[in-house]
Each structure stands twice: as C-alpha cells, then as structure tokens.
Amino acid sequence: MPTTSKHPETLVLHAGSYRSDSATNAVAVPIYQTTSYQFQNSEHAANLFGLKEFGNIYTRIMNPTQAVLEERIAALEGGVGALALASGQAASAFALQNIARAGDNIVSSTDLYGGTWNLFANTLKEQGLEVRFVDPSDPENFRRATDAKTRAYYAETLPNPKLHVFPIKEVADIGRSLGVPLIMDNTAAPVLCKPFEHGAAIIVYSTTKYIGGHGTSIGGMLVDGGNFDWEKHADRFPGLNQPDPSYHGAIWTQAVKPLGPIAYIIKARVTLLRDLGSAMSPFNAFLFIQGLETLPLRMRQHCENAIKTAEWLKKHPAVTNVIFPSFQTGETRRRADAYLKGGYGALVGFELKEGKDAGRKFIDALKLFYHVANIGDARSLAIHPATTTHSQLSPEEQIKTGVTDGYVRLALGLEHIEDILADLDQALTAATGLKRAAE
Ligand SMILES: *Cc1c(COP(=O)(O)O)cnc(C)c1O
C-alpha cells in the first residue's frame, strides 16, 4: 500500500508500490541483476510487446530495481513517472531528443554545467538541433528567442559558479503561454526545490551528485510532471501526437491515456532508451536507492555546513568575495528565497585576492577537502575552475561564465563544521600568508 505522506523524509523510504520483495519478503530492495524476464505464455509476451499490458521484458528498457528508484523519485517530485538512465548527461540529452528533431530548436539558459554546454553547443548542433542560449536574468529573453520550431526551454535550478537561482515560474509561465515546456535540471537542489510546483514540465537529474550522495556511481533520471498539455500544442510535438513508425503507428498521447498523462515518459522509455540504450545498471539503481533514503537528512546538513562556511569565509582577509545565495540582493535574492526552501544549497564560491596563483596554492594545501571535479559527495570537495574545468575557455569567456582567476568552488560535505573550517583556515594561510582574526 503506497504511502499517502507528503513529506520527503517519508516518501524517499516508502513511496511507490514496493513494500517487500514478492518472492522472498526481503525488505531492502533486491538487486535484480538480470537481463531478461520469462514470459508467462505467448499471449503475455504479445501483450507486453504491444503495450497492452505493462511488465518486464529486458533490462535495457526496464528493471525492478530501477523501478523502485523511479517511483520514489517521481513521488518526491510530485511527478507522474520517471526514467532511470546511465548518467545525468544521458538524461539531459534524452529530455530534448524526446521532443525535438533535426531542424527544431531549444532555448536554453547560458548558466549551465560544462558537460551540458558541450552537448548543446556542439553535439546536438551537429545533429541538426539548434540550441539558442539566452541570459536568464531577464525571463523575457526566453520569449524573444522562441519561434514556431521551439520545442523546449532548458535551465538549471542552482547553476554554478554564479549560483543565481533560475526564474522558474517566470519562464514556465512564458512557455505555457506559447506552448513550450520548461525542463529543469535540479541536480544541485533536490528536496530544496520542487520545480513542478513552479510550473516546470520535466525534471532532469544527475543522480551521481546528491541523490547518490556518496560519490560512488554515475546515473541520471528524467521525471515527467504530467502537467503539460502535449495534445493542445500538437503542432509543436508531432512525435507525441502523430503515429510513431518505430512503434507500429502508436500515437503516444492517445496510446497511454488510460494510464494517465505519461505520454512523454513512456515514449522516452520505449523508443529512446530502447534505441540508444543508456540504461542504468541494477547495481547502481540499488546504490541510488540507498542514497535517496537519507537525501532529505543529508541535504539539511550539507546546507547548514555551507551557510556556516560562507559566513566564515566572508570575514577572511584573503577572500575578496563570497558567492552564496544568502549574500545576493535584489531580484537574484528574491528568486533564491522563492525557489529554495530549507537551505541555499551546498555550493559556495569565493574569490582570492591574489588570483590564479593563490587559487592553485590553496587547492594544493587542502588536507581534508578532496580536489575533484564533482559535487554532492558526503565528503567536502574543492576545485579551482580557472586552471581546470574552465581552462579551455578564453579569459573573456571565463569572466562571462563567472569564473575569475581567483575563484574557488567548494561543495560542502557532511564532516563536522569545525574540521571543515580548520582545513580552509590552514590552506588559506598557506596560500596567502593571511590569517583570519580569532573570534
Ligand atoms: C554532473 C552534472 C550533470 C551531468 O551528470 P553526469 O551524471 O556526470 O553525467 C548535469 N547537470 C549538472 C548540474 C551536474 O552537476
């Protein structure tokens, strides 16, 4: 019996149809490490392939361990369905490929994860899908870039390095007035932000980050809000409204109507995942289930460590600027308060007075923090983007993305705050010779 709770702490443990394993009564979700599933008889097999009945066929397309993860994340977000994928990159590619083809366009925020930027600016472009990048500080930029071929808007909730929270409702409203769904990458703010409550239609996750939470596995998730009327805008979405030749002429908005507003997520599973094969392994799905169970608890501690660190850094003489949502002002701050609840996330940026050299020395002097290109680990992480993730960009491009020479990004983990601050303290002194006054 699925839980009726609305609370994230309960949903991540109990949501969905899984209560215990039907074969063994095991409480923990088993790792169904199997490629295929025996059909009961030939009629059953024909029904499954004909989508007359839902059930397991082959693990490239569905798996019971993945299914538990999908149901719980869909419930956490208030969506109607979800699709587990091999990585966050696969999830962002699928999110667009599911509704856009060569000759179409997407309007995306400029504030993006580097991997997403490369996918949009290069790979999708080579495949004939144009991504138009617009500055999200003015939501109207999305309207201005929209035309009859626009299939989606795309943005991140809490993009680094600037950490300017995206105007979700403002852009979702523009999209809905024009028949364009908003896709939100909520990787940096699970639990804190609920994009569907603000009008987003689809959520993308890299489960690699906070959902996994322990830096062990690469994975992604697509979540369907079930709140976008694909039929009303049939001209924009022929793939969902016209017979699909790859599935004996199924019209997705009609074929699955009796099961709810799940046309988008079903099509992604039975065509894109079937054909491109970016499936999440059952073992990784199991690890993400373990992570998800403590996600609300961990997010609280990540956020508490982050705000304490941001405030501590602000008083350090070697630091000229601390980038953190609670220090923002005006419209940027209003958006942070409107869309993040219970914390401002666990990413903190700061700038060192002495630039690139100090940034490099600081990173090398860290003892507790790991120097890695990742976020959302239980351990605290740091990186100096100017010499790593953003080193391929020209100096002008670096400034435009918000990366100055002395910029350091921290992803706060779950260690005790005293140990986190002590490590930052000794590394800042080693890099700059400057000491923070005792309190
Ligand atoms: C890491 C990340 C991705 C890509 O996810 P992978 O699981 O590494 O493929 C996408 N978006 C954001 C915001 C990320 O941090």
Side-chain angles (χ1 to χ4, degrees):
M1 155 72 188
T3 175
T4 53
S5 176
K6 294 271 175 279
H7 301 293
E9 293 82 354
T10 308
L11 290 172
V12 294
L13 290 160
H14 295 284
S17 51
Y18 183 87
R19 178 71 187 166
S20 62
D21 178 46
S22 54
T24 62
N25 293 336
V27 170
V29 180
I31 304 170
Y32 291 96
Q33 194 72 31
T34 182
T35 55
S36 37
Y37 309 86
Q38 160 133 302
F39 306 121
Q40 287 150 22
N41 50 47
S42 44
E43 189 195 350
H44 178 226
N47 283 346
L48 292 179
F49 277 92
L51 290 185
K52 291 200 184 82
E53 203 180 316
F54 276 135
N56 297 317
I57 299 175
Y58 190 58
T59 284
R60 171 154 34 80
I61 312 168
M62 73 285 281
N63 171 279
T65 313
Q66 292 165 4
V68 174
L69 179 67
E70 290 164 347
E71 286 185 25
R72 288 185 184 169
I73 292 182
L76 176 66
E77 296 301 338
V80 294
L83 180 64
L85 294 164
S87 67
Q89 284 300 110
S92 34
F94 272 43
L96 300 182
Q97 288 170 325
N98 202 36
I99 43 175
R101 333 171 149 166
D104 294 343
N105 69 72
I106 303 298
V107 182
S108 171
S109 167
T110 45
D111 294 356
L112 290 178
Y113 172 70
T116 310
W117 177 274
N118 282 333
L119 170 69
F120 287 6
N122 301 303
T123 301
L124 291 183
K125 189 174 162 193
E126 283 169 11
Q127 296 176 355
L129 188 57
E130 179 199 357
V131 180
R132 301 174 174 177
F133 295 100
V134 299
D135 177 354
S137 58
D138 181 2
E140 287 299 318
N141 287 337
F142 282 80
R143 189 195 305 277
R144 287 182 204 111
T146 305
D147 64 21
K149 290 279 188 188
T150 304
R151 302 295 178 245
Y153 296 159
Y154 192 98
E156 291 177 18
T157 304
L158 179 62
N160 73 82
K162 290 184 198 164
L163 303 179
H164 290 176
V165 171
F166 186 76
I168 304 175
K169 180 172 191 310
E170 292 85 337
V171 174
D173 285 352
I174 291 169
R176 284 178 186 275
S177 74
L178 301 173
V180 178
L182 172 62
I183 300 169
M184 288 303 306
D185 177 341
N186 201 41
T187 298
V191 184
L192 310 176
C193 180
K194 294 285 173 60
F196 294 149
E197 289 176 5
H198 309 294
I202 304 296
I203 296 173
V204 166
Y205 274 114
S206 165
T207 55
T208 311
K209 313 296 167 55
Y210 293 98
I211 292 175
H214 298 78
T216 62
S217 328
I218 302 285
M221 188 69 66
L222 263 185
V223 194
D224 186 345
N227 59 9
F228 192 86
D229 193 343
W230 307 104
E231 276 186 87
K232 185 171 162 201
H233 306 288
D235 291 348
R236 278 200 199 273
F237 306 105
L240 289 169
N241 288 287
Q242 288 172 16
D244 186 338
S246 91
Y247 224 101
H248 45 72
I251 298 173
W252 294 113
T253 48
Q254 308 304 320
V256 293
K257 214 172 224 173
L259 301 167
I262 57 168
Y264 176 95
I265 203 74
I266 284 293
K267 177 176 186 283
R269 182 187 298 280
V270 302
T271 67
L272 280 182
L273 185 55
R274 176 197 62 183
D275 300 346
L276 300 177
S278 324
M280 178 186 285
S281 84
F283 183 69
N284 281 2
F286 171 82
L287 290 174
F288 291 127
I289 289 169
Q290 309 315 301
L292 187 70
E293 289 186 348
T294 56
L295 178 69
L297 187 63
R298 285 186 289 106
M299 287 312 287
R300 277 203 286 280
Q301 193 62 41
H302 278 298
C303 289
E304 189 185 313
N305 282 349
I307 197 163
K308 284 183 175 159
T309 301
E311 280 164 3
W312 183 90
L313 283 167
K314 224 176 176 185
K315 294 188 200 141
H316 200 290
V319 173
T320 49
N321 188 19
V322 181
I323 296 100
F324 191 67
S326 72
F327 300 150
Q328 294 160 356
T329 57
E331 181 58 14
T332 315
R333 172 65 187 274
R334 190 199 65 76
R335 289 174 188 165
D337 288 329
Y339 299 122
L340 301 182
K341 301 291 174 199
Y344 291 105
L347 303 175
V348 176
F350 66 93
E351 290 174 294
L352 285 167
K353 206 180 280 179
E354 291 159 73
K356 208 179 246 181
D357 208 40
R360 205 190 318 235
K361 277 193 207 154
F362 168 79
I363 293 284
D364 285 337
L366 288 167
K367 292 184 175 132
L368 185 77
F369 277 70
Y370 281 88
H371 178 203
V372 296
N374 191 22
I375 63 169
D377 197 308
R379 291 153 278 257
S380 287
L381 315 174
I383 198 157
H384 181 228
T387 55
T388 57
T389 54
H390 289 62
S391 60
Q392 313 296 318
L393 303 185
S394 68
E396 302 81 61
E397 285 173 326
Q398 287 194 1
I399 298 297
K400 231 170 112 185
T401 60
V403 170
T404 56
D405 275 354
Y407 184 99
V408 173
R409 182 187 78 197
L410 305 179
L412 276 305
L414 303 174
E415 301 91 343
H416 195 284
I417 187 67
E418 283 178 11
D419 299 322
I420 290 172
L421 299 182
D423 194 37
L424 295 175
D425 199 28
Q426 64 81 21
L428 282 168
T429 303
T432 68
L434 296 168
K435 260 194 152 354
R436 189 176 180 277
E439 287 192 329

